[in-house]
Amino acid sequence: DVSLSVTKGEFLGIIGPNGAGKTTLLKLMLGLLTPTSGDATLFGQSVSSMDPKERARIEAYLSQDVMTSFPYPVLDIVLMGRYSYLPRFGKESEHDIEEAQRALAYVGLADFESRLFNELSGGERQLVLFAKVLAQDPTLFVLDEPTSNLDIRHQDQFFSMAAELAEEQKGVIAAVHNLDIASRDCSRLVLLDNGRVAADGSPEHVLRSE
C-alpha cells in the first residue's frame, strides 16, 4: 500500500525500522521484483517492460554490499557503469574512459585507477562503486543504505555528494538508517511501517516525536 512519485531535483530518503519494506520498495522501483499489484513506472513506462539497457540509462542502483572476490583494477570497476552505452561485443571508447575518470575524480579517488578493488578499505570500495553509478550517468539514483558499514566521515562525504546530484536536477532515492544525516541532506522523507507509508513530507514534518 505504497504510492509515491519522485521528481528531478528531489532527494528522497526512505526511512523506517528493519522489515518495514525499504529494500523491497527499491527493488520494485528497479524492476528487480515484480509487484503483485500496482506498478512501478519511469516517465510513464512500466519498469518491468523496459529493456535492461534502456532502464540502466535512466536509473542506477547502489547497494550496501561492497564485496567482490576478483582483483579488478578500480578503473575497470567504474567502467562497468558504462555497459549500457556499449554496442554489442563493443569495447569502451575514449569517451567512456573519460567519463569513468571524471567520476573517480569527483569522489576523490583520481589516483586509484590502477589499484585493486579488493585491496581497498570498505569506505574506499563504496566510493568506487558510487563512481561506477556516476559513470552510468542516469536520471535517477537508487541507493540502498549505501553507508551502513562506513564511518561517519565517509557517510558525510557520501550523502553530501548525493545532495549535490539532486541540486544538479538528478533524482535521488536512498534508504537511510542514519536519521541525523537524513534530516540534514534529504529534501523529503517517506517513513515506511509494515509496508505502508506512515508519513511523507519534509524532514521537519516526518521526524517528530509522535
Side-chain angles (χ1 to χ4, degrees), residues 56-104:
R57 295 189 188 108
I58 299 176
E59 59 181 353
Y61 175 52
L62 180 60
S63 73
Q64 56 186 296
D65 184 10
V66 299
M67 299 302 294
T68 180
S69 58
F70 296 100
Y72 290 116
V74 163
L75 184 61
D76 287 357
I77 293 285
V78 180
L79 280 170
M80 292 177 186
R82 300 297 299 171
Y83 172 76
S84 64
Y85 299 97
L86 302 183
R88 192 175 185 184
F89 305 121
K91 294 187 67 176
E92 297 89 352
S93 66
E94 190 65 35
H95 174 69
D96 293 318
I97 294 173
E98 289 174 356
E99 288 294 307
Q101 291 172 329
R102 184 178 297 113
L104 275 173

Side-chain angles (χ1 to χ4, degrees), residues 123-139:
E124 291 167 343
R125 290 186 190 186
Q126 196 69 327
L127 287 173
V128 170
L129 295 178
F130 189 46
K132 179 171 74 74
V133 298
L134 289 173
Q136 197 170 325
D137 193 26
T139 304

Side-chain angles (χ1 to χ4, degrees), residues 38-51:
D39 201 5
T41 63
L42 288 171
F43 301 109
Q45 184 176 354
S46 176
V47 172
S48 59
S49 69
M50 297 177 72
D51 175 79

Side-chain angles (χ1 to χ4, degrees), residues 154-169:
H154 281 111
Q155 290 183 39
D156 286 343
Q157 178 185 5
F158 196 99
F159 277 98
S160 293
M161 290 188 295
E164 288 177 2
L165 291 173
E167 292 172 2
E168 296 169 4
Q169 295 305 298

